[in-house]
Amino acid sequence: MSEKTLTRMDLSEAVFREVGLSRNESAQLVESVLQHMSDALASGETVKISSFGTFSVRDKSARVGRNPKTGDEVPISPRRVLTFRPSHLMKDRVAAGSKK
């Protein structure tokens, strides 16, 4: 398994190379897309990217959990969590490895 992490800079560099925008414009475009996605998720919308996957926000209710070390019951407060479901194409591509 590779230890490489894809960063914002990597994305803007790819846009720079493949689209032909300046480096500054590429970075702004990547930031704008990520900001739109973040805003949509923060407002409770679902973000679906074809052939990639779906990001959605889920409301989890309050529940009682346990401290595994002591066995004591601990209340877990209600919260919103971000979930990602990869598309079938993405699952197949990841399962195949680095083949293109």
Side-chain angles (χ1 to χ4, degrees), residues 60-73:
K60 294 184 96 176
S61 58
R63 62 189 176 91
V64 175
R66 284 195 190 280
N67 179 333
K69 192 171 185 178
T70 63
D72 293 341
E73 290 187 351

Side-chain angles (χ1 to χ4, degrees), residues 87-100:
S87 71
H88 289 294
L89 291 172
M90 179 59 73
K91 285 181 183 179
D92 293 343
R93 188 163 182 191
V94 169
S98 61
K99 300 175 196 167
K100 288 189 179 182

Side-chain angles (χ1 to χ4, degrees), residues 9-93:
M9 187 63 105
D10 296 334
L11 290 173
S12 60
E13 186 66 25
V15 170
F16 166 72
R17 273 194 243 106
E18 298 197 18
V19 177
L21 295 175
S22 72
R23 277 196 164 87
N24 215 13
E25 290 171 328
S26 298
Q28 289 174 346
L29 177 65
V30 169
E31 286 300 320
S32 177
V33 169
L34 293 175
Q35 188 63 51
H36 283 333
M37 290 174 62
S38 297
D39 291 346
L41 290 165
S43 67
E45 294 178 51
T46 296
V47 175
K48 186 172 188 174
I49 301 173
S50 180
S51 301
F52 186 77
T54 304
F55 295 90
S56 58
V57 177
R58 217 177 70 166
D59 290 313
K60 294 184 96 176
S61 58
R63 62 189 176 91
V64 175
R66 284 195 190 280
N67 179 333
K69 192 171 185 178
T70 63
D72 293 341
E73 290 187 351
V74 179
I76 299 174
S77 58
R79 63 200 185 281
R80 294 173 76 192
V81 295
L82 178 64
T83 61
F84 175 71
R85 287 200 46 147
S87 71
H88 289 294
L89 291 172
M90 179 59 73
K91 285 181 183 179
D92 293 343
R93 188 163 182 191

